[in-house]
Amino acid sequence: MKVNRSEKVGKPGFTSAMPGGIDRLLDAYDVEGAGSCAVVIGRSPILGRPAGMLLLDADSTVTLCHSQQPRLRIS
């Protein structure tokens, strides 16, 4: 079981359900976080930001994008 961000800084806490599920899915498929780049579209306090923080804790480079960005291109 992974230690969430709040436990790393000495505060008890839980990982939100959806970001925690995403984290478990990435673990199940052996997706390596360290050194990889991740883009999170949407920065809500319930999904986007916690997902970004979990990816940061996995040593990924994370870009958070606003979901209403008019010209967001994925290449």
Side-chain angles (χ1 to χ4, degrees):
M1 182 172 177
K2 287 194 168 190
V3 177
N4 68 32
R5 181 170 166 69
S6 58
E7 290 175 351
K8 287 184 178 180
V9 294
K11 297 178 184 175
F14 297 98
T15 303
S16 297
M18 185 64 95
I22 293 168
D23 194 37
R24 290 182 69 184
L25 184 66
L26 293 173
D27 284 344
Y29 282 93
D30 295 323
V31 176
E32 184 64 36
S36 63
C37 296
V39 176
V40 178
I41 300 173
R43 46 193 179 97
S44 71
I46 296 172
L47 178 57
R49 287 184 185 156
M53 295 308 291
L54 287 172
L55 290 165
L56 280 173
D57 286 342
D59 297 326
S60 298
T61 300
V62 179
T63 303
L64 289 173
C65 299
H66 191 282
S67 61
Q68 299 302 312
Q69 171 67 28
R71 290 183 286 186
L72 185 63
R73 289 189 341 186
I74 299 172
S75 55

Coordinates of all heavy atoms in Angstrom, one line a residue:
M1 N 0.8 -1.2 0.0 CA 0.0 0.0 0.0 C 0.9 1.2 0.0 O 1.8 1.3 0.7 CB -0.9 0.0 1.2 CG -1.8 1.1 1.3 SD -3.0 0.9 2.7 CE -3.9 2.4 2.6
K2 N 0.5 2.2 -0.9 CA 1.3 3.4 -1.0 C 1.0 4.4 0.2 O -0.1 4.4 0.7 CB 1.1 4.1 -2.3 CG 1.7 3.4 -3.4 CD 1.7 4.3 -4.6 CE 2.6 3.7 -5.7 NZ 2.8 4.6 -6.8
V3 N 2.0 5.1 0.6 CA 1.8 6.2 1.6 C 1.4 7.4 0.8 O 2.1 7.8 -0.1 CB 3.2 6.4 2.3 CG1 3.0 7.5 3.3 CG2 3.6 5.1 3.0
N4 N 0.3 8.0 1.3 CA -0.1 9.2 0.6 C 0.7 10.4 1.0 O 1.4 10.4 2.0 CB -1.6 9.5 0.7 CG -2.1 9.8 2.1 OD1 -1.4 10.4 2.8 ND2 -3.3 9.4 2.4
R5 N 0.5 11.5 0.3 CA 1.3 12.7 0.6 C 1.2 13.2 2.0 O 2.2 13.6 2.6 CB 0.9 13.8 -0.4 CG 1.7 15.1 -0.2 CD 1.4 16.0 -1.4 NE 1.8 17.4 -1.1 CZ 3.1 17.8 -1.1 NH1 4.0 16.9 -1.2 NH2 3.4 19.0 -0.9
S6 N 0.0 13.3 2.6 CA -0.1 13.8 3.9 C 0.6 13.0 5.0 O 1.1 13.5 5.9 CB -1.6 13.9 4.3 OG -2.2 12.7 4.2
E7 N 0.7 11.7 4.8 CA 1.5 10.8 5.7 C 3.0 11.1 5.6 O 3.7 10.9 6.6 CB 1.1 9.3 5.4 CG -0.3 8.9 5.9 CD -0.6 7.5 5.5 OE1 0.2 6.9 4.8 OE2 -1.7 7.1 5.9
K8 N 3.4 11.4 4.4 CA 4.8 11.7 4.2 C 5.3 12.9 5.0 O 6.4 13.0 5.4 CB 5.2 11.9 2.8 CG 5.2 10.6 2.0 CD 5.6 10.8 0.6 CE 5.6 9.5 -0.2 NZ 6.1 9.7 -1.6
V9 N 4.4 13.9 5.2 CA 4.7 15.1 5.9 C 4.3 15.0 7.4 O 4.3 16.0 8.1 CB 4.2 16.4 5.3 CG1 4.8 16.6 3.9 CG2 2.7 16.3 5.1
G10 N 3.9 13.8 7.9 CA 3.6 13.6 9.2 C 2.1 13.9 9.6 O 1.8 13.9 10.8
K11 N 1.3 14.0 8.7 CA -0.2 14.3 9.0 C -1.0 13.1 8.5 O -0.8 12.6 7.3 CB -0.7 15.5 8.3 CG 0.0 16.8 8.7 CD -0.5 18.0 7.9 CE 0.2 19.2 8.3 NZ -0.2 20.4 7.5
P12 N -1.8 12.5 9.3 CA -2.6 11.4 8.9 C -3.6 11.8 7.8 O -4.1 13.0 7.8 CB -3.3 10.9 10.1 CG -3.3 12.1 11.0 CD -2.1 12.9 10.7
G13 N -4.0 11.0 6.9 CA -4.9 11.3 5.9 C -5.2 10.2 4.9 O -4.6 9.1 5.0
F14 N -6.1 10.4 4.1 CA -6.5 9.4 3.1 C -6.3 9.9 1.7 O -6.5 11.1 1.5 CB -8.0 9.0 3.3 CG -8.2 8.3 4.6 CD1 -8.7 9.0 5.6 CD2 -7.9 7.0 4.8 CE1 -9.0 8.5 6.9 CE2 -8.2 6.4 6.0 CZ -8.7 7.1 7.0
T15 N -6.1 9.1 0.7 CA -6.1 9.5 -0.7 C -7.5 9.5 -1.2 O -8.3 8.6 -0.9 CB -5.3 8.4 -1.5 OG1 -3.9 8.4 -0.9 CG2 -5.2 8.8 -2.9
S16 N -7.9 10.5 -1.9 CA -9.2 10.5 -2.5 C -9.4 9.3 -3.4 O -8.5 8.7 -4.0 CB -9.4 11.8 -3.4 OG -9.3 12.9 -2.6
A17 N -10.7 8.8 -3.5 CA -11.0 7.6 -4.1 C -10.5 7.5 -5.6 O -9.9 6.6 -6.0 CB -12.5 7.3 -4.0
M18 N -10.9 8.5 -6.4 CA -10.6 8.4 -7.8 C -9.1 8.5 -8.1 O -8.5 7.7 -8.8 CB -11.4 9.5 -8.6 CG -11.2 9.3 -10.1 SD -11.8 7.8 -10.8 CE -13.4 8.3 -11.3
P19 N -8.4 9.5 -7.5 CA -6.9 9.5 -7.7 C -6.2 8.3 -7.2 O -5.3 7.8 -7.8 CB -6.5 10.8 -6.9 CG -7.7 11.7 -6.9 CD -8.8 10.7 -6.8
G20 N -6.7 7.8 -6.1 CA -6.2 6.5 -5.5 C -6.4 5.4 -6.5 O -5.5 4.5 -6.6
G21 N -7.5 5.3 -7.1 CA -7.8 4.3 -8.1 C -6.9 4.4 -9.3 O -6.5 3.4 -9.9
I22 N -6.7 5.6 -9.8 CA -5.8 5.9 -10.9 C -4.4 5.4 -10.5 O -3.7 4.7 -11.3 CB -5.8 7.3 -11.3 CG1 -7.2 7.7 -11.9 CG2 -4.7 7.7 -12.3 CD1 -7.4 9.2 -12.0
D23 N -4.0 5.7 -9.3 CA -2.7 5.3 -8.9 C -2.5 3.8 -8.8 O -1.5 3.2 -9.3 CB -2.4 5.9 -7.5 CG -1.0 5.8 -7.0 OD1 -0.1 6.0 -7.9 OD2 -0.7 5.6 -5.9
R24 N -3.6 3.1 -8.4 CA -3.5 1.6 -8.3 C -3.6 1.0 -9.7 O -2.9 0.0 -10.0 CB -4.7 1.1 -7.5 CG -4.6 1.4 -6.0 CD -5.7 0.9 -5.2 NE -5.6 -0.6 -5.2 CZ -6.5 -1.4 -4.6 NH1 -7.6 -0.9 -4.1 NH2 -6.4 -2.7 -4.7
L25 N -4.3 1.7 -10.6 CA -4.3 1.2 -12.0 C -3.0 1.3 -12.7 O -2.5 0.4 -13.4 CB -5.4 2.0 -12.8 CG -5.6 1.6 -14.2 CD1 -6.3 0.2 -14.3 CD2 -6.5 2.6 -14.9
L26 N -2.3 2.4 -12.5 CA -0.9 2.6 -13.0 C 0.0 1.6 -12.4 O 0.9 1.0 -13.1 CB -0.4 4.0 -12.7 CG -1.2 5.1 -13.5 CD1 -0.7 6.5 -13.0 CD2 -1.0 5.0 -15.0
D27 N -0.1 1.3 -11.1 CA 0.7 0.2 -10.5 C 0.4 -1.2 -11.1 O 1.3 -1.9 -11.3 CB 0.4 0.2 -9.0 CG 1.1 1.3 -8.2 OD1 2.0 2.0 -8.8 OD2 0.7 1.5 -7.1
A28 N -0.9 -1.5 -11.3 CA -1.3 -2.8 -11.9 C -0.7 -3.0 -13.3 O -0.4 -4.2 -13.6 CB -2.8 -2.9 -11.9
Y29 N -0.5 -1.9 -14.0 CA 0.0 -2.1 -15.4 C 1.5 -1.8 -15.4 O 2.1 -1.6 -16.5 CB -0.7 -1.2 -16.4 CG -2.0 -1.8 -16.8 CD1 -3.2 -1.4 -16.1 CD2 -2.1 -2.7 -17.8 CE1 -4.4 -2.0 -16.4 CE2 -3.3 -3.2 -18.2 CZ -4.5 -2.9 -17.5 OH -5.7 -3.4 -17.8
D30 N 2.2 -1.7 -14.2 CA 3.6 -1.5 -14.1 C 4.1 -0.2 -14.9 O 5.1 -0.2 -15.5 CB 4.4 -2.7 -14.6 CG 4.2 -3.9 -13.7 OD1 4.0 -3.7 -12.4 OD2 4.1 -5.0 -14.2
V31 N 3.3 0.9 -14.8 CA 3.6 2.1 -15.4 C 4.6 2.8 -14.5 O 4.3 3.1 -13.3 CB 2.4 3.0 -15.6 CG1 2.8 4.4 -16.2 CG2 1.4 2.3 -16.6
E32 N 5.8 3.1 -14.9 CA 6.9 3.7 -14.1 C 6.6 5.2 -14.1 O 6.5 5.8 -15.1 CB 8.2 3.4 -14.8 CG 9.4 3.9 -14.0 CD 9.5 3.2 -12.6 OE1 9.2 2.0 -12.5 OE2 9.9 3.9 -11.6
G33 N 6.5 5.7 -12.9 CA 6.3 7.1 -12.7 C 7.6 7.9 -12.7 O 7.6 9.0 -13.2
A34 N 8.7 7.4 -12.2 CA 9.9 8.1 -12.0 C 10.5 8.5 -13.4 O 10.6 7.6 -14.3 CB 10.9 7.3 -11.3
G35 N 10.7 9.8 -13.6 CA 11.3 10.2 -14.9 C 10.3 10.4 -16.0 O 10.7 10.8 -17.1
S36 N 9.0 10.1 -15.8 CA 8.0 10.2 -16.9 C 7.3 11.6 -16.8 O 7.4 12.2 -15.8 CB 7.0 9.1 -16.8 OG 6.3 9.2 -15.6
C37 N 6.7 12.0 -17.9 CA 6.0 13.2 -17.9 C 4.5 12.9 -17.9 O 4.0 12.0 -18.6 CB 6.3 14.0 -19.2 SG 8.0 14.6 -19.3
A38 N 3.7 13.6 -17.1 CA 2.2 13.4 -17.0 C 1.5 14.7 -17.2 O 2.0 15.8 -16.7 CB 1.9 12.8 -15.7
V39 N 0.4 14.7 -17.9 CA -0.5 15.9 -18.0 C -1.8 15.5 -17.4 O -2.4 14.5 -17.7 CB -0.7 16.3 -19.5 CG1 -1.6 17.4 -19.6 CG2 0.7 16.6 -20.1
V40 N -2.2 16.4 -16.5 CA -3.5 16.2 -15.8 C -4.4 17.3 -16.3 O -4.1 18.5 -16.1 CB -3.4 16.3 -14.3 CG1 -4.8 16.1 -13.6 CG2 -2.5 15.2 -13.8
I41 N -5.5 17.0 -17.0 CA -6.4 18.0 -17.5 C -7.6 18.1 -16.5 O -8.3 17.2 -16.2 CB -7.0 17.6 -18.9 CG1 -5.8 17.4 -19.9 CG2 -8.0 18.6 -19.4 CD1 -6.2 16.9 -21.2
G42 N -7.7 19.3 -15.9 CA -8.6 19.6 -14.9 C -7.9 19.7 -13.6 O -7.0 18.9 -13.3
R43 N -8.2 20.7 -12.8 CA -7.4 20.9 -11.6 C -8.3 21.1 -10.4 O -8.1 21.8 -9.4 CB -6.5 22.1 -11.7 CG -7.2 23.3 -12.3 CD -6.3 24.4 -12.8 NE -7.1 25.5 -13.3 CZ -7.5 26.5 -12.7 NH1 -7.1 26.7 -11.5 NH2 -8.3 27.4 -13.2
S44 N -9.4 20.3 -10.4 CA -10.3 20.3 -9.3 C -9.7 19.8 -8.0 O -8.8 19.0 -8.0 CB -11.6 19.5 -9.6 OG -11.2 18.1 -9.5
P45 N -10.1 20.3 -6.8 CA -9.6 19.8 -5.6 C -9.9 18.4 -5.2 O -9.3 17.8 -4.3 CB -10.1 20.8 -4.5 CG -11.4 21.4 -5.1 CD -11.1 21.3 -6.6
I46 N -10.9 17.8 -5.9 CA -11.3 16.4 -5.6 C -10.5 15.4 -6.5 O -10.2 14.3 -6.1 CB -12.8 16.3 -5.8 CG1 -13.5 17.1 -4.8 CG2 -13.2 14.8 -5.7 CD1 -15.0 17.2 -5.0
L47 N -10.2 15.8 -7.7 CA -9.6 14.8 -8.7 C -8.3 15.3 -9.2 O -7.3 14.7 -9.1 CB -10.6 14.5 -9.8 CG -10.1 13.5 -10.9 CD1 -9.6 12.2 -10.3 CD2 -11.1 13.3 -11.9
G48 N -8.3 16.4 -9.9 CA -7.1 16.9 -10.6 C -5.9 17.1 -9.8 O -4.8 16.6 -10.0
R49 N -6.1 18.0 -8.8 CA -4.9 18.3 -7.9 C -4.4 17.1 -7.1 O -3.2 16.9 -7.1 CB -5.3 19.4 -7.0 CG -5.3 20.7 -7.7 CD -5.6 21.9 -6.8 NE -5.7 23.1 -7.6 CZ -6.4 24.2 -7.2 NH1 -6.9 24.2 -6.0 NH2 -6.5 25.2 -8.0
P50 N -5.3 16.3 -6.5 CA -4.8 15.1 -5.8 C -4.1 14.1 -6.7 O -3.1 13.5 -6.4 CB -6.0 14.4 -5.2 CG -7.0 15.6 -5.0 CD -6.7 16.5 -6.2
A51 N -4.6 13.9 -8.0 CA -4.0 13.0 -8.9 C -2.6 13.6 -9.3 O -1.6 12.8 -9.4 CB -4.8 12.9 -10.2
G52 N -2.5 14.9 -9.5 CA -1.2 15.5 -9.8 C -0.2 15.3 -8.6 O 1.0 15.0 -8.9
M53 N -0.7 15.4 -7.4 CA 0.2 15.3 -6.3 C 0.7 13.8 -6.1 O 1.9 13.6 -5.8 CB -0.5 15.7 -5.0 CG -0.8 17.2 -4.9 SD 0.6 18.3 -5.3 CE 1.6 18.0 -3.9
L54 N -0.2 12.9 -6.4 CA 0.2 11.5 -6.4 C 1.3 11.2 -7.4 O 2.2 10.4 -7.2 CB -1.0 10.5 -6.5 CG -1.9 10.4 -5.3 CD1 -3.2 9.7 -5.7 CD2 -1.2 9.8 -4.2
L55 N 1.1 11.8 -8.6 CA 2.1 11.6 -9.7 C 3.4 12.3 -9.3 O 4.5 11.8 -9.6 CB 1.5 12.2 -11.0 CG 0.4 11.4 -11.6 CD1 -0.3 12.2 -12.7 CD2 0.9 10.0 -12.2
L56 N 3.3 13.4 -8.7 CA 4.6 14.1 -8.2 C 5.3 13.2 -7.2 O 6.5 13.1 -7.2 CB 4.3 15.5 -7.6 CG 4.0 16.6 -8.6 CD1 3.6 17.9 -7.8 CD2 5.3 16.9 -9.3
D57 N 4.5 12.6 -6.3 CA 5.1 11.7 -5.3 C 5.8 10.5 -5.9 O 6.7 9.9 -5.4 CB 4.1 11.3 -4.3 CG 3.7 12.4 -3.3 OD1 4.4 13.3 -3.2 OD2 2.6 12.2 -2.7
A58 N 5.3 10.2 -7.1 CA 6.0 9.0 -7.9 C 7.1 9.5 -8.7 O 7.6 8.8 -9.6 CB 4.9 8.4 -8.8
D59 N 7.6 10.8 -8.5 CA 8.7 11.4 -9.2 C 8.5 11.6 -10.7 O 9.4 11.5 -11.5 CB 10.0 10.6 -9.0 CG 10.4 10.5 -7.5 OD1 10.2 11.5 -6.8 OD2 10.9 9.5 -7.1
S60 N 7.2 11.9 -11.0 CA 6.9 12.3 -12.4 C 7.0 13.8 -12.5 O 6.8 14.5 -11.6 CB 5.5 11.8 -12.7 OG 5.3 10.5 -12.7
T61 N 7.2 14.2 -13.8 CA 7.0 15.7 -14.1 C 5.6 15.9 -14.5 O 5.1 15.2 -15.4 CB 8.0 16.1 -15.2 OG1 9.3 15.8 -14.8 CG2 7.8 17.5 -15.6
V62 N 4.9 16.8 -13.7 CA 3.4 16.9 -13.9 C 3.1 18.3 -14.4 O 3.6 19.3 -13.9 CB 2.7 16.6 -12.6 CG1 1.2 16.8 -12.7 CG2 3.0 15.2 -12.1
T63 N 2.2 18.4 -15.4 CA 1.6 19.6 -15.9 C 0.2 19.6 -15.6 O -0.5 18.6 -16.1 CB 1.9 19.8 -17.4 OG1 3.3 19.8 -17.6 CG2 1.3 21.1 -17.9
L64 N -0.4 20.5 -14.8 CA -1.8 20.7 -14.6 C -2.4 21.7 -15.6 O -1.9 22.8 -15.7 CB -2.1 21.1 -13.2 CG -1.8 20.1 -12.1 CD1 -2.0 20.8 -10.7 CD2 -2.7 18.9 -12.2
C65 N -3.4 21.3 -16.3 CA -4.0 22.2 -17.3 C -5.5 22.5 -16.9 O -6.2 21.6 -16.4 CB -4.0 21.5 -18.7 SG -2.4 21.1 -19.3
H66 N -5.9 23.7 -17.2 CA -7.3 24.1 -16.9 C -8.1 23.4 -18.0 O -7.8 23.3 -19.2 CB -7.4 25.6 -17.0 CG -8.7 26.1 -16.5 ND1 -9.9 26.0 -17.3 CD2 -9.1 26.7 -15.4 CE1 -10.9 26.5 -16.6 NE2 -10.4 27.0 -15.4
S67 N -9.3 22.8 -17.6 CA -10.1 22.1 -18.5 C -10.7 22.9 -19.6 O -11.2 22.4 -20.6 CB -11.2 21.3 -17.7 OG -12.0 22.2 -17.0
Q68 N -10.8 24.3 -19.4 CA -11.4 25.2 -20.3 C -10.4 25.9 -21.2 O -10.7 26.8 -21.9 CB -12.3 26.2 -19.6 CG -13.4 25.6 -18.8 CD -14.3 24.8 -19.6 OE1 -14.8 25.2 -20.7 NE2 -14.6 23.6 -19.2
Q69 N -9.2 25.4 -21.2 CA -8.1 25.9 -22.1 C -8.6 25.8 -23.5 O -8.9 24.7 -24.0 CB -6.8 25.2 -21.9 CG -5.7 25.5 -22.9 CD -5.2 26.9 -22.8 OE1 -5.3 27.5 -21.7 NE2 -4.8 27.5 -23.8
P70 N -8.7 26.9 -24.3 CA -9.3 26.9 -25.6 C -8.5 26.1 -26.6 O -9.1 25.5 -27.5 CB -9.4 28.3 -26.0 CG -8.5 29.1 -25.1 CD -8.4 28.3 -23.9
R71 N -7.2 26.1 -26.5 CA -6.4 25.4 -27.6 C -5.4 24.4 -27.0 O -4.3 24.4 -27.2 CB -5.6 26.5 -28.3 CG -6.5 27.3 -29.2 CD -5.7 28.3 -30.0 NE -5.2 29.3 -29.1 CZ -4.5 30.4 -29.5 NH1 -4.2 30.6 -30.7 NH2 -4.2 31.3 -28.6
L72 N -6.0 23.5 -26.2 CA -5.2 22.5 -25.6 C -5.0 21.4 -26.6 O -6.0 20.7 -27.0 CB -5.9 21.9 -24.3 CG -5.1 20.9 -23.5 CD1 -3.9 21.5 -22.9 CD2 -6.0 20.4 -22.4
R73 N -3.8 21.2 -27.1 CA -3.5 20.2 -28.1 C -2.7 19.0 -27.4 O -1.7 19.3 -26.7 CB -2.7 20.7 -29.2 CG -3.4 21.6 -30.1 CD -2.7 22.1 -31.3 NE -1.2 21.8 -31.2 CZ -0.4 22.2 -32.1 NH1 -0.8 22.8 -33.2 NH2 0.9 22.0 -32.0
I74 N -3.0 17.8 -27.7 CA -2.3 16.7 -27.3 C -1.6 16.1 -28.5 O -2.2 15.7 -29.4 CB -3.2 15.7 -26.6 CG1 -3.9 16.3 -25.4 CG2 -2.4 14.4 -26.2 CD1 -5.0 15.5 -24.8
S75 N -0.3 16.0 -28.4 CA 0.5 15.5 -29.6 C 1.2 14.2 -29.2 O 1.4 13.9 -28.1 CB 1.5 16.5 -30.1 OG 2.3 16.9 -29.0

